[in-house]
Amino acid sequence: DCRFVSLTDCATNSMCRVSAAAGNQTCTRKCFYKYADEFTCNADSECTWDKQRAMCTETCAAVVSPIECGSLATCQWRNGACNTRCALTYARGSSNCTADAYCQINGLTQFCENTCSKHVNTDPAVTQAACSADSFCRVGVNNTCTSGCQLKGLFDCQADSQCIWDAGVDSCFPTCSRLPSAADCAAMSRVCSYDTSARACKIQCRLRHKTQAGCATSSDCLWDAQGGFCKPACAKYGSPATCLGTPECEWTNFRCKLQCNQRTTAQCMPSGESRCAVFQPGFNGATSPAAVYCDLSCAAKYGNQPS
C-alpha cells in the first residue's frame, strides 16, 4: 500500500506518486491503479477519467513533476506547471488557441493542437531558449524547432529511435534510456521500468518484446504463455503479494524466484542454489514429461529447505 511508503521510495515506485493535496506531501497510488470506473475516478479531486482511453489518470494540475506530466497522454509541462494539452484546453476553431504560444489551429480539422513552430525567432538564441523550454519540442538545425516524441503519430514515433509508442494509450513518449534517474523512470511507469542491478531505465518488457523468442533474450523478462506477452521476470517483484500474483513465480527466503518447474534445464541449478534439480524421464515412476526436466529437488520437497 503506497500510504506506508516513504516519500523517497514513493518517487521511485512505479505504482505510487507523491501527492501534494491539502498542502501536505503524502504517498498515494497512481489513479490508474486506484480506480477502474469513471464515477469513483472523478470523485477524487486529483484524478480524472480519460474517456478516449477508458482509464483513470491524474488531473494535470495535481502533477508537480515535469517527467510525470510528460508521461500523461492528456498533459503538457509549460511555464513551470502541468497543464492540459492544447486539444483539451481550447474548443474547435477557438481564437484563444491561435493566441496561445504553444498551440495552433489545424487547417484541415480546425481542432486546436500543440505546435513547435511558434517558438522560432529570427534570433537563434531566442529560438533555442523557447524551444528548449517546451518539453514537447526539440531544437533542430538551421534555427528550427521540431516536434518531440509526444507530438508524433504512430509511424513517425516508430521511425524515431528516441521515441517509444505505447499502444495502451495510443501515444508516443521519449524512450526510457534517456531518463536520468530512478524517480524519472518511475514517473514514466506506463512504458518504463528501472533496473536496479543495471542502474538503468529500460523499456518495459511488454513493449520491448512481442515474441517469446525475443522475450527470452532479456534476463529481466519472462514470457507469459497464457496471456501471450512479455512481462517482468520473477526477480523484479519485491514483495510476496506481487510475486505470488504471478503464476510462474514463488516467494522463498525473502526473494521472488522462478518456480523450478518453469525453468529450462540450463536454468535449473544456478550457482550456490540447490532448491531445484534436473530429473530424468520416468523418475520415481512419473509418466511425464518425456524429456529431461527441472523440478523442485527432493531435499527441498521433503526437508532441509535450501536457500
Side-chain angles (χ1 to χ4, degrees):
D1 193 319
C2 298
R3 292 176 299 172
F4 304 109
V5 176
S6 70
L7 292 180
T8 301
D9 292 338
C10 187
T12 58
N13 190 309
S14 62
M15 293 184 66
C16 307
R17 60 178 296 271
V18 176
S19 167
N24 298 315
Q25 286 197 334
T26 57
C27 189
T28 185
R29 269 186 299 165
K30 291 182 177 179
C31 298
F32 177 78
Y33 298 107
K34 199 184 274 189
Y35 307 112
D37 65 273
E38 183 175 0
F39 180 78
T40 55
C41 174
N42 288 335
D44 188 321
S45 62
E46 292 197 321
C47 302
T48 185
W49 187 256
D50 184 344
K51 292 185 178 181
Q52 179 183 342
R53 300 168 182 84
M55 58 180 280
C56 190
T57 185
E58 279 69 31
T59 59
C60 302
V63 178
V64 295
S65 159
I67 299 293
E68 183 183 359
C69 182
S71 73
L72 301 174
T74 56
C75 304
Q76 66 178 120
W77 187 264
R78 50 184 288 187
N79 299 324
C82 191
N83 299 271
T84 54
R85 296 194 183 191
C86 297
L88 300 174
T89 302
Y90 301 111
R92 189 176 184 181
S94 170
S95 59
N96 290 328
C97 172
T98 306
D100 192 311
Y102 291 80
C103 312
Q104 71 175 6
I105 297 291
N106 184 302
L108 294 176
T109 66
Q110 291 300 298
F111 284 111
C112 187
E113 59 186 21
N114 285 82
T115 182
C116 297
S117 61
K118 287 187 177 181
H119 299 318
V120 177
N121 189 280
T122 53
D123 184 343
V126 175
T127 298
Q128 183 170 349
C131 191
S132 300
D134 191 332
S135 59
F136 285 3
C137 303
R138 294 180 192 160
V139 176
V141 297
N142 300 322
N143 193 36
T144 58
C145 185
T146 61
S147 297
C149 298
Q150 290 93 333
L151 300 185
K152 293 180 181 289
L154 172 61
F155 298 113
D156 286 340
C157 183
Q158 292 179 330
D160 193 326
S161 62
Q162 297 184 52
C163 305
I164 180 72
W165 181 261
D166 184 354
V169 292
D170 289 330
S171 296
C172 188
F173 299 101
T175 193
C176 308
S177 61
R178 297 175 63 83
L179 299 175
S181 70
D184 291 337
C185 190
M188 291 285 288
S189 61
R190 279 203 57 84
V191 294
C192 306
S193 61
Y194 192 75
D195 188 332
T196 52
S197 58
R199 294 185 179 181
C201 188
K202 296 182 177 181
I203 299 170
Q204 283 190 9
C205 296
R206 67 181 177 87
L207 298 174
R208 202 187 318 166
H209 302 295
K210 298 299 182 183
T211 65
Q212 183 174 0
C215 188
T217 63
S218 293
S219 60
D220 58 333
C221 299
L222 173 68
W223 184 254
D224 188 313
Q226 183 176 356
F229 62 92
C230 195
K231 62 185 179 182
C234 300
K236 297 301 176 182
Y237 299 108
S239 71
T242 54
C243 177
L244 297 176
T246 304
E248 299 88 349
C249 306
E250 63 179 342
W251 186 260
T252 176
N253 286 340
F254 308 104
R255 293 175 62 189
C256 190
K257 298 180 180 181
L258 185 65
Q259 290 183 19
C260 299
N261 60 12
Q262 298 291 324
R263 303 184 189 194
T264 64
T265 53
Q267 298 171 321
C268 196
M269 300 174 67
S271 177
E273 183 179 315
S274 57
R275 182 171 179 77
C276 305
V278 175
F279 294 91
Q280 297 296 321
F283 174 76
N284 205 25
T287 57
S288 65
V292 176
Y293 65 97
C294 181
D295 205 348
L296 199 63
S297 68
C298 294
K301 275 184 181 178
Y302 305 115
N304 296 323
Q305 295 278 348
S307 60

